[in-house]
Amino acid sequence: MKLTVVGGGSTYTPELVDGFARLRDTLPIEALVLMDPAEDRLALVGGLSRRIFARQGHPGRITTTTELDRAVDGADAVLLQLRVGGQAAREQDETWPLDCGCVGQETTGAGGLAKALRTVPVVLDIADRVRRTNPDAWIIDFTNPVGIVTRALLEAGHKAVGLCNVAIGLQRKFAALLDVSAPEVHLDHVGLNHLTWETGVRLGGPEAEDVLPKLLADHGERIASDLRLPRALLSDLGVVPSYYLRYYYAHDEVVRELRTKPSRAAEVAAMERELLTMYADPALDEKPELLAKRGGAYYSEAAVDLAAALLGGAGSPYQVVNTYNRGTLPFLPDDAVIEVQAAVGTKGASPLPVAPVDPLYAGLMANVTAYEHLALEAALHGGRSRVSRALLSHPLIAQHEYAETLTDRLIAHNREHLAWA
């Protein structure tokens, strides 16, 4: 089995490689190719990755390349984890929206749209080249904004599934609180990428008893504290929102906080510099503890599980993924990309039935789905008016004056990445 990671020079990659090494019975990789145009970073990450495999006795071969066609040739699956523009572009995404009193974040609001506009054309070019070289390969997208990027891939006819680590992170957290093993915890997870709610927590599978009320009663304070949301809100909702919902439920509070501290991009850039220094040490043969602060917790386990299921291995039968709605949520179009539990196999992902969704969540999902449709139109076809329409439709903006100002700033900060600008 051959697996290719596009964006293999990312400081995330040793987390992924560690998962491949530990879970080799689930996903028996014979060849792992790390592809990245940043040759210096790729050399450091590739060296550490080989040492991780060697330390854990993995027999697979790790190679590195800057050539995409060579990397994907013969691959059974291609995992995308790229960041167009790097941390410098992320820094901009997180700062200029604040000037209009709107949240600055790399996947939500105006910053998220900027990232989509930079990313979608690049991802589609990569996917086209994968299809020409190896039309049977699965594409696993971990590149944000996952919902929009996955929709672009599916609409272009690619064999693609989107992946996010929010659900697996909550699964692990709930398992620890309930003192059970993680595989015992099945989430009733519903929403869009970075806009999700856990409406049930079941021990043993989708038909098991819902223990979410007890979980909230016994551990609500801890869960609310981790989400940085009021405990009373969780009691009123009766569900557990993802931490991205804080950008909606406490938007103005978040904006005030963001204006008074360094951006997350600046923090991550500093961590990346330190991590790359560590990776250069030939004695290092395991992922460093600092990597846990970089983000992407449990990403490797989710990626292994998904790839194994798609490729006919030992992956879990039910996984939270991003895929077409196709009637699962009747208030959304069939071609909306939703994030729910799905049965995953060699033919792809089929969403499991979802209980009727409270209008409080369905309304916001419908609004953001409309935004994602307009955002993809802007990413595919360009034009100032399409960008402005997408921003005006977003519930965190939704004012004409803000949309117009943010459109000008988005284009100004991203002109080098927008062919039409």
Side-chain angles (χ1 to χ4, degrees), residues 354-397:
V354 174
V357 178
D358 188 306
L360 180 61
Y361 318 128
L364 184 54
M365 289 167 60
N367 190 164
V368 175
T369 295
Y371 153 75
E372 291 191 346
H373 170 78
L374 294 171
L376 183 54
E377 288 293 300
L380 292 174
H381 305 296
R384 187 187 186 284
S385 64
R386 290 190 180 94
V387 174
S388 178
R389 281 167 56 82
L391 290 171
L392 186 60
S393 73
H394 200 290
L396 296 183
I397 301 167

Side-chain angles (χ1 to χ4, degrees), residues 141-219:
D141 179 60
F142 193 70
T143 297
N144 282 318
V146 168
I148 296 172
V149 173
T150 302
R151 185 167 178 170
L153 288 165
L154 292 173
E155 287 191 0
H158 296 289
K159 293 176 60 177
V161 180
L163 178 66
C164 180
N165 69 321
V166 167
I168 194 172
L170 287 171
Q171 181 201 42
R172 299 306 197 263
K173 182 176 295 184
F174 294 163
L177 292 174
L178 295 166
D179 195 25
V180 299
S181 66
E184 293 179 72
V185 176
H186 178 94
L187 301 177
D188 291 349
H189 180 100
V190 62
L192 315 177
N193 181 242
H194 290 184
L195 193 85
T196 52
W197 297 262
E198 310 310 321
T199 60
V201 177
R202 304 177 189 277
L203 300 184
E207 304 301 325
E209 179 185 0
D210 182 13
V211 299
L212 179 57
K214 177 174 172 52
L215 184 67
L216 286 173
D218 294 347
H219 304 286

